[in-house]
Amino acid sequence: MSKQELPLINAAAVDPGACCAPLLCEPLGAAEAGELAPLFKAIGDPVRLRLLSLIACHEGGEACVCDLTSAFDLSAPTISHHLKVLKQAGLIDSERRGTRVYYWINPGVLARLSAILGSRQGAGMVSA
Amino acid sequence: MSKQELPLINAAAVDPGACCAPLLCEPLGAAEAGELAPLFKAIGDPVRLRLLSLIACHEGGEACVCDLTSAFDLSAPTISHHLKVLKQAGLIDSERRGTRVYYWINPGVLARLSAILGSRQGAGMVSA
DNA sequence: CCTCTAATTTGACATCTATCTAGGCAAGGA
DNA sequence: TCCTTGCCTAGATAGATGTCAAATTAGAGG
């Protein structure tokens, strides 16, 4: 049915020079998959996806926990838990400043994930 | 610390015309997050990530279950289960041909995810 | 009609996860 | 020193998830 749409992607995948979407290029090894999957898993939760977005879009590229908590109907410990998951996955980083803790996005990781899913673009151009 | 790297991303985010990385552009709404998260969750498992890659890279852009099962140290029902998850997420599609069932990738969905994570490129160009 | 192969469904089980309440720790101000 | 604010940790619990063995369906041939 939708097989007719595949050539477009595969054309990019076969491209020898700029080939950079492993997922569509060559079969992902078990090791690589074991490395990548936890990253996708981390953003595979609505709360964490929104947290990531809120942090990225917040003024100055960083947000304190109090800003984030107020955006959800969840308890503070729950938000804290999700932030921990994102941080352990390497998607965000944090720093305590006075009484507050600020979080910001680790932009390279997101770009890498995008490149892996995309057919080609976004690999080299975004990271730098 | 890594705040110095953000402006690049944000520059793209502020771009009024081509702005298409919601996650980095504007805070993701709960509804959108609830729609996107299951997709990331589906690829947030090493086995499913490899399955997706195996299918995409297989000759002809499609693979039968027997090809896939042999690549893992898992029982057939388990593979079947993961394929079902991927299919229900809309990432793959399938068709029975004789005694075998063939799976292929739904390329638009992957491109969309890539665009959402990427800072800009890959949004409009891949979908067509 | 029986059998063989390919794939899925069912049911069970152990593990993981999201969430909460209660309590603790750190920084700053009275 | 004591209180207040901001955030995290610990422990508990209900529900989701990954896996397998056993049973079931679907197609192709004897």
Side-chain angles (χ1 to χ4, degrees):
Chain A
M1 297 296 171
S2 61
K3 273 166 290 173
Q4 291 78 351
E5 278 130 60
L6 277 174
L8 241 177
I9 294 292
N10 287 338
V14 167
D15 185 340
C19 174
C20 276
L23 201 139
L24 300 175
C25 258
E26 45 177 308
L28 216 53
E32 300 156 273
E35 221 183 303
L36 287 171
L39 291 173
F40 288 118
K41 190 176 190 178
I43 57 175
D45 178 282
V47 175
R48 289 197 288 266
L49 206 51
R50 284 184 65 201
L51 278 173
L52 211 59
S53 182
L54 281 170
I55 294 171
C57 303
H58 203 267
E59 194 183 307
E62 60 179 23
C64 81
V65 179
C66 54
D67 292 328
L68 301 170
T69 302
S70 61
F72 297 87
D73 249 357
L74 295 170
S75 69
T78 297
I79 299 299
S80 200
H81 159 70
H82 285 301
L83 288 171
K84 189 179 184 180
V85 171
L86 287 172
K87 186 171 181 179
Q88 284 179 335
L91 285 158
I92 59 177
D93 236 327
S94 70
E95 183 188 17
R96 175 171 213 122
R97 240 172 272 150
T99 181
R100 301 188 172 178
V101 177
Y102 290 85
Y103 284 85
W104 60 87
I105 276 204
N106 202 340
V109 183
L110 231 48
R112 183 182 169 217
L113 294 185
S114 171
I116 282 163
L117 295 182
S119 21
R120 193 179 42 199
Q121 323 61 356
M125 23 198 355
V126 182
S127 67
Chain B
M1 300 298 166
S2 63
K3 274 167 288 173
Q4 291 77 352
E5 278 130 58
L6 278 175
L8 242 179
I9 296 289
N10 288 339
V14 168
D15 184 341
C19 173
C20 276
L23 200 138
L24 300 175
C25 258
E26 45 177 309
L28 216 53
E32 300 157 273
E35 221 182 305
L36 286 171
L39 291 174
F40 287 118
K41 190 175 192 178
I43 57 176
D45 178 281
V47 175
R48 289 197 289 267
L49 206 50
R50 285 184 65 201
L51 277 173
L52 211 58
S53 182
L54 280 170
I55 294 172
C57 303
H58 203 267
E59 193 184 307
E62 60 178 24
C64 83
V65 178
C66 54
D67 292 329
L68 302 170
T69 303
S70 60
F72 297 86
D73 248 356
L74 294 169
S75 69
T78 297
I79 298 299
S80 199
H81 160 69
H82 286 300
L83 287 170
K84 191 179 183 180
V85 171
L86 287 172
K87 185 171 181 179
Q88 283 179 336
L91 286 159
I92 59 176
D93 236 327
S94 70
E95 183 188 18
R96 176 169 216 122
R97 240 173 272 149
T99 180
R100 302 187 171 180
V101 175
Y102 290 83
Y103 283 84
W104 61 87
I105 276 204
N106 202 341
V109 183
L110 230 49
R112 183 181 169 218
L113 295 185
S114 172
I116 283 163
L117 296 183
S119 22
R120 193 177 43 199
Q121 315 72 349
M125 29 201 343
V126 183
S127 70

